[in-house]
DNA sequence: CAGTGGTCTAGACCACCAA
DNA sequence: TGGTGGTCTAGACCACTGT
């Protein structure tokens, strides 16, 4: 990062130009885990206010290139982890034997209007909700709420201790023949609860994946999973293909040159 | 939004609390397309600096709840569009007859090191790159670069005008039997070129979908698509299931109550 | 033109971390 | 305790929109 600034008078915002300069520096002169100079020094070096520099860092953090830790510094982030999200790889919904997910708790309560609508059941009908965390290499990368209408699990054993109920729900679910699933992915932000689970501050960007599971033509489960957008790359699809490597530093792909 | 502020002394950042207050107001007192009071007035009303208010609005915009237009104001955003991204729905890669995508141009050039690696071919090998835009209701929602190794299309007719070449590449691709595809989705930001295509400022958040298409066990195409994260919800999976409706205002799902 | 959001500044204080 | 990033302020000017 030898340059002393060189923010030419372009019609492009300073913070965006800064981001580009920093990105080049990251790609060429730094490696994963290294710490950047602190914000006050960087802003001085580039001749901008600290707030402007921070705007550039915000972008790079959104792209998953930087990690900022209070009290520590700004580090070069590791490349995003590819997280498989197809059914065969992560094990069908609960799959008590799934190693990817760790159950937190299970509640049974009447469905809110909104949840009822999403599940296609009557408002107030009983729904089991299992909350889980997905771990990759010991780190929490996703939180999930799995909603199952009680009516979908006619053979669920009677009342039990909570930890047992979670297991029962997942086990019963596993026995169903799942003949269809439908997913959607969109951008969201982590609210307090999820943020705590993912060890991130509130407002951290997440990829929200909503999955509907059908059995015998009926909706039997709705999973809402929030994946850390900074560290995760959701991977779908059949195995056996070449490992996906990103093309172009970020979203941009230039013509082969 | 009758409250005059009421930012109690909580350990929670002001901008986050503000976001929550505004979100409630949006949900209860505003509807799609309505304009909020301007930033200077809002910041005065809540007794915070404009920068702090803007931080709250930034969050809500990232969540797709607001749209800000310079010179106009801040509007309540329409719910995100569900954009189908499965092969059968959008038509296999090019599918000249696909109505979803509009071809922009097609270039043929030697592969860069990075692209070659992604395609599993030698650096410098010839690659066709078709750039396209995806339109939904006349609005551009995604840009794509479709990379096809020349070697994968042995029957491609000779040199032609560019517009014809794009068509030829897509047509030849269409004739191949695709027996596998592998996708990944991650968060990115739009750089200049994509940003212009999507009618967004540089740095706008996008969902980057990378798709590998295989035919006869070989990788025959690599598509890198960038979807506007503000307006798009990517939907996968088989048709025939209930329409997916979001549960919980954002990423959070509370136990049925 | 007046009004909007977008950018940028210079400074202050706080919360967290390591030594 | 000193250094880091996180929050917040008060103000300025710019770029864009409609009338």
């Amino acid at each position: 990062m030898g340059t002393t600034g060189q923010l030419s008078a372009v019609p492009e915002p300073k913070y965006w130009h800064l981001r580009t300069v920093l990105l080049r520096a990251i790609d060429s002169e730094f490696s994963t885990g290294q710490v950047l100079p602190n914000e006050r020094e960087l802003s001085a070096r580039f001749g901008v206010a600290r707030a402007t520099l921070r705007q550039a860092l915000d972008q790079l953090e959104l792209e998953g290139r930087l990690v900022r830790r209070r009290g520590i510094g700004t580090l070069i982030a590791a490349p995003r982890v590819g997280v498989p999200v197809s059914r065969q790889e992560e094990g069908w919904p609960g799959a008590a034997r799934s190693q990817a997910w760790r159950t937190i708790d299970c509640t049974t309560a009447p469905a809110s209007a909104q949840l009822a609508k999403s599940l296609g059941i009557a408002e107030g009908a009983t729904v089991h909700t299992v909350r889980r965390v997905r771990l990759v290499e010991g780190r929490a990368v996703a939180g999930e709420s799995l909603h199952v209408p009680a009516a979908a699990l006619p053979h669920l054993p009677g009342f039990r201790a909570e930890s047992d109920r979670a297991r029962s729900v997942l086990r019963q679910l596993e026995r169903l023949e799942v003949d269809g699933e439908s997913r959607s992915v969109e951008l969201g932000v982590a609210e307090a609860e999820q943020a705590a689970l993912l060890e991130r501050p509130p407002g951290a960007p997440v990829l929200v994946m909503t999955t509907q599971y059908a059995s015998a033509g009926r909706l039997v489960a709705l999973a809402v999973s929030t994946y850390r957008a900074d560290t995760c790359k959701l991977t779908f699809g059949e195995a056996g293909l070449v490992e996906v490597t990103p093309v172009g530093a970020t979203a941009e792909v230039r013509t082969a040159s």
Side-chain angles (χ1 to χ4, degrees), chain A residues 94-156:
Chain A
R97 53 171 126 58
S98 163
Q99 308 207 339
W101 293 95
R102 170 192 295 171
T103 299
I104 298 179
D105 59 19
C106 175
T107 60
T108 299
S112 67
Q114 197 172 31
L115 181 57
K117 194 177 160 212
S118 301
L119 282 170
I121 60 177
E123 179 175 353
T126 304
V127 173
H128 304 292
T129 299
V130 178
R131 291 196 309 154
R132 312 189 291 173
V133 194
R134 181 159 183 178
L135 304 173
V136 169
E137 293 166 16
R139 317 291 301 178
V141 297
E144 180 178 273
S145 288
L146 180 64
H147 304 281
V148 185
L153 302 179
H155 305 307
L156 194 71

Side-chain angles (χ1 to χ4, degrees), chain A residues 4 140 253:
Chain A
T4 321
V253 172

